[in-house]
Amino acid sequence: PSDVSVSEEMCFSTIAALKDASVPETDTLAYALGYHEIGDGGGGLFRWDGSVHSVEIDGGLRVASRKSEIGVWQRVITDGLHPVTLWGARGDGKTDDRPAIQRALDAHNTLYFPSGTYLINGSEGQGAGAHGGIFPNSHQVLFFDPGAKLKIMEDDGYYSGINLVSVDDVSLINA
């Protein structure tokens, strides 16, 4: 947002650098320029909440500090879109994005896939009796940029992509 300022000391290149930052005062703002690397779409504005004692850390909306067991970096969302890149998905056509996409699916009901090729390892299990792929939850909406593609990684055995097992009201929308 244009009305927010972040000091130079609280600007970090990646989420890993943000996790390694000294623990600030509550409500301190920080900015990450990327998730894995600068400009990869996974950065953003975060606010430190030092009062949190127990919260599910999802690596996207809530990021744990490596310097403190109490407190969390809470992402400041300025619009309704939650790109999967916020959880570390790269969409580079080379990296297995399944773990990052699954973290995003487990954390939020409305997700956006920016342009890119998201590789999904379709042969690794993601739960009891699972054979791989990603597992949306009931009542989720997944928006895909026209340039976004999900690609199942090639494997010699059984594989799957999007598993819609025991869920209802899941929407896949090509935006």
Side-chain angles (χ1 to χ4, degrees), residues 64-88:
S65 167
R66 292 185 183 128
K67 303 283 184 177
S68 174
E69 293 182 19
I70 298 174
V72 65
W73 286 106
Q74 178 73 38
R75 188 179 292 273
V76 177
I77 301 291
T78 56
D79 60 27
L81 291 178
H82 294 86
V84 294
T85 53
L86 299 183
W87 285 267

Side-chain angles (χ1 to χ4, degrees), residues 70-134:
I70 298 174
V72 65
W73 286 106
Q74 178 73 38
R75 188 179 292 273
V76 177
I77 301 291
T78 56
D79 60 27
L81 291 178
H82 294 86
V84 294
T85 53
L86 299 183
W87 285 267
R90 292 180 186 245
D92 62 6
K94 300 173 188 170
T95 305
D96 179 9
D97 288 316
R98 185 187 57 79
I101 293 171
Q102 192 61 54
R103 283 193 306 270
L105 289 168
D106 293 343
H108 208 273
N109 282 339
T110 304
L111 297 173
Y112 172 67
F113 288 76
S115 184
T117 300
Y118 299 89
L119 290 183
I120 305 295
N121 186 330
S123 64
E124 287 187 20
Q126 183 67 20
H131 296 285
I134 56 173

Side-chain angles (χ1 to χ4, degrees), residues 8-162:
E8 196 172 309
E9 302 85 45
M10 295 307 293
C11 188
F12 301 94
S13 57
T14 64
I15 297 296
L18 178 67
K19 288 179 175 184
D20 288 334
S22 296
V23 175
E25 294 180 23
T26 292
D27 290 332
T28 297
L29 293 176
Y31 196 85
L33 298 172
Y35 195 96
H36 300 285
E37 57 192 39
I38 294 172
D40 65 8
L45 186 64
F46 291 83
R47 180 181 312 277
W48 177 256
D49 184 349
S51 66
V52 175
H53 293 277
S54 177
V55 67
E56 184 178 331
I57 305 299
D58 64 19
L61 297 180
R62 292 169 296 279
V63 176
S65 167
R66 292 185 183 128
K67 303 283 184 177
S68 174
E69 293 182 19
I70 298 174
V72 65
W73 286 106
Q74 178 73 38
R75 188 179 292 273
V76 177
I77 301 291
T78 56
D79 60 27
L81 291 178
H82 294 86
V84 294
T85 53
L86 299 183
W87 285 267
R90 292 180 186 245
D92 62 6
K94 300 173 188 170
T95 305
D96 179 9
D97 288 316
R98 185 187 57 79
I101 293 171
Q102 192 61 54
R103 283 193 306 270
L105 289 168
D106 293 343
H108 208 273
N109 282 339
T110 304
L111 297 173
Y112 172 67
F113 288 76
S115 184
T117 300
Y118 299 89
L119 290 183
I120 305 295
N121 186 330
S123 64
E124 287 187 20
Q126 183 67 20
H131 296 285
I134 56 173
F135 296 79
N137 299 299
S138 293
H139 313 294
Q140 285 192 305
V141 180
L142 310 180
F143 291 94
F144 293 85
D145 183 89
K149 299 175 186 79
L150 289 181
K151 182 177 179 184
I152 308 305
M153 295 171 68
E154 294 182 21
D155 188 279
D156 293 336
Y158 176 85
Y159 59 91
S160 61
I162 300 176

